[in-house]
Amino acid sequence: NEIFKNLSEAFPQNISYKNSLAISYQNLGNIQVAFGRLDEALNYYEIYNNLAHQVYSTNPKNAKFKNGLATSYSKLGYVYNKYLKNPVKAKDYFQKCHTLWQELTEAHPSYVEFKDNFDWVKKQLASL
């Protein structure tokens, strides 16, 4: 995380560094969830979402960046739904990733990960 933070600051025009920084925050959030530190996980996922949004906005046609943004919304929705028992916030995040994964599935029908993610978020929304 520190390496990508330093690289992203030193080379702000390099979107790949910012994307890697975003992913590092996702990983930090995943670790905090595993340890049950939900406040810290939520903080890391919010930073991840902010960075993923910045990365996506530089090139909204890039499927990798769109998937990263959708994943960031799914992480937030998951924490709000499963751990914080806030279905209203969870639904908002799940609807955002639903839209993105639906678009990705339609644009790339042979890419299984997008379809699986889209199916997953549909189940999450149906359970709320």
Side-chain angles (χ1 to χ4, degrees):
N1 178 264
E2 288 298 318
I3 291 170
F4 286 120
K5 192 182 299 182
N6 291 337
L7 286 169
S8 185
E9 289 171 3
F11 303 98
Q13 72 285 1
N14 188 320
I15 202 65
S16 179
Y17 292 152
K18 187 174 275 193
N19 188 53
S20 295
L21 178 60
I23 293 167
S24 74
Y25 277 107
Q26 173 195 10
N27 292 332
L28 288 170
N30 293 346
I31 291 167
Q32 296 309 315
V33 167
F35 284 113
R37 298 180 197 136
L38 301 178
D39 289 339
E40 291 177 52
L42 193 57
N43 181 54
Y44 286 132
Y45 286 153
E46 287 171 347
I47 295 168
Y48 170 40
N49 178 258
N50 184 0
L51 290 167
H53 195 298
Q54 291 175 37
V55 168
Y56 171 72
S57 68
T58 66
N59 187 352
K61 293 187 187 241
N62 183 307
K64 179 180 175 182
F65 296 163
K66 184 180 258 188
N67 186 54
L69 180 58
T71 301
S72 72
Y73 287 134
S74 74
K75 294 291 185 178
L76 288 165
Y78 184 75
V79 169
Y80 275 108
N81 188 41
K82 181 170 179 159
Y83 298 108
L84 301 179
K85 307 300 183 200
N86 186 334
V88 174
K89 277 198 147 186
K91 185 176 182 179
D92 180 51
Y93 288 120
F94 285 148
Q95 286 175 326
K96 289 176 181 178
C97 69
H98 177 276
T99 299
L100 295 171
W101 278 330
Q102 181 176 19
E103 292 171 359
L104 285 165
T105 299
E106 290 169 359
H108 308 279
S110 63
Y111 197 70
V112 176
E113 179 185 349
F114 297 153
K115 183 184 180 320
D116 289 348
N117 290 342
F118 183 51
D119 289 343
W120 176 85
V121 76
K122 286 190 291 188
K123 289 177 187 172
Q124 298 305 308
L125 284 167
S127 73
L128 294 176

